[in-house]
Amino acid sequence: MNVLYAVGEANPFIATGGLGDVAGSLPQKIKEKLVNCRVVLPFYSDIPDNMRVKAKYITNFTVHLGWRHQYCGLFEAHIDGTIYYLLDNEYYFKRNGIYGHYDDGERFAFFSKAVLEMLQYINFHPDVIHANDWHTALIPTYKKLLYDEIKKYQNIKTVFTIHNIIYQGQFSLNFYTDVIGLRADQVSDLEYHGCINLMKSAIVTADKITTVSPTYSEEILDSYYSNGLDEILKNNVCKLTGIINGIDTDKYNPETDECIFNNYSANDISGKAQNRTALQKLFNLPTDETIPLIGMVSRLVDNKGFDLVREAAEDILCNKSQMIILGTGDTINERFLQDLANRYPGKMAVKIGFFPDIARKIYAGSDLFLMPSKSEPCGLSQMIALRYGTIPIVRETGGLKDTVLDCSYDNGNGFTFKNYNVNDLIKTVRRAEDVYKLKDKWETLVKRALDSNYCWQNSADQYINLYKTLISKN
Ligand code: GLC
C-alpha cells in the first residue's frame, strides 16, 4: 500500500505548531508498519539551510492555476528512511513566514494542484493521498472534480484530516474563477454562505474525513465547536472518524532529553525536583518546595483559555501557586501576562516567544500544566507534560477529554473541569494544590504519568485500517 501524506508543514523541515509535529512523526510510524508512506510539503525558503541541503532536485513541471502557468520544481529528500517531496516555487514560497500572506489562498491552491500534477513525474503511485487542514483541502477537491477524468488517478482514494476547524480557508467567489479554475457548474462543492470555503470542499469531496480525537469528531457536529460547518459535517458523518494523535516519545523522553537540566524516570524521580529548582532559578522565582509550580506553554490566544486565565490568574497567584508561562499570541494576552509578572515578581514569570528548549524545561520542571482550552482538537502539550511526569489541569474538551482523566477516578492522571467557566477553573486548581500537599499521593500521580504511554502505535494502526477499508472498495 502506498500513501502520500500532504501537509503545509512537517518536522524536521519546518513547524509552527502541532500540525508540523504530527506530520513529523505519524508518517514514520505508518512506514514502520510496512506501509510505504511518503510526505510532500512546500519548499519554503524559511526551511533552515541544514535541511534545505538534504533536498535534491529531480525535475520541474508547469502547474495551471486559472490563467496562470507556474513553474514547480520537484525536490526529494531522504530522512531516516522516509522520503519527502518538496515543491518549489520562489514566487510563492520564498517569503518570511510560512503562513499569513495576502495570497495564501493562491499559494496553497498552487501547492495542492502541484501535488496532484507531481504524480505524473515520480515513480510512486499512491493508493491514498492523505491531506491535512485547509492548506491541502483542494487536493481531494481537484482530485474528484478534475483529475478523476484521467485514468491514472481514478483509483486513488483521499483522506482529509481536520486538525482545527477554526481555520477553513475562506475566500471571495472571485477566487474560484481567478485561481481555482474549475468549471462554473462545479462551484457548489466549494461555495458556502456566499464564499469559497476550502475545508467545506474537502469534507464534501474526500473519501474519508478524520479529526484528531474521538471527542472532537463529535463536538464539531455541534455549532458551538464547528465554526459554521456542523451541517456540512452532519451530511457527511458516515465518512467521519476521530483518531487521537500521539507524541514522539523518543524526542520527548525525560530519560534522555538533552534540553532539560537533569534526566529522570519513573524509577527515580529525584531528577524532576532538580529540574524544578533549576527552572525556578532560570525564571527568578523562589525555590520553595511547598509551593506548586504551574507551567503553561501555549499560543496566547483566547481559544486556548486565556480569557479565563486573565480572570483567574490573580486568584491563583494570591493563593499558593507559582506560574511560568511561555508563548506568543494576541497582544492583549502578551501585555496582560507581562504586566502580571511585573506585579507578582516572586510568583509569576512569563516569556514571550517560541523557544522549544525552554518549553521542554517547563514541561520537565513544572508540577502542574494548565490547558483550560475553549476547544482543543487534540492538544499535544498535555501528553508531553504527562510524559515528563507533570500533571495536567485541563478543560474536558476534544483531545484533552480523551487523554486526561480526573484524579477522582481510579487511575486518574490529572485534574479536569467541564464548563468553560472561571470559577470551575479556580476550583480545579485548588483541588490540584490540595493533592500536591499529600506527598505520597502526589508521587503516585507523578509516577503514573511517567509510566503512561502516548506513543503513535495505536493511532498509526487506526490510520492504516482506515486506508485499508478505502482501498478494499476499489
Ligand atoms: C492543531 C490543534 C491541536 C492538535 C494539532 C495537531 O494545532 O489545535 O489541538 O493537537 O493540530 O493535530
Side-chain angles (χ1 to χ4, degrees), residues 17-19 22 163-164 212 245 299 304 376-380:
L19 176 63
V22 169
H163 293 261
N164 199 332
V212 287
N245 287 331
R299 268 186 303 124
K304 294 281 178 189
E376 194 61 76
C378 176
L380 304 175

Side-chain angles (χ1 to χ4, degrees), residues 222 252 258 449:
D222 187 299
Y252 298 112
E258 287 173 5

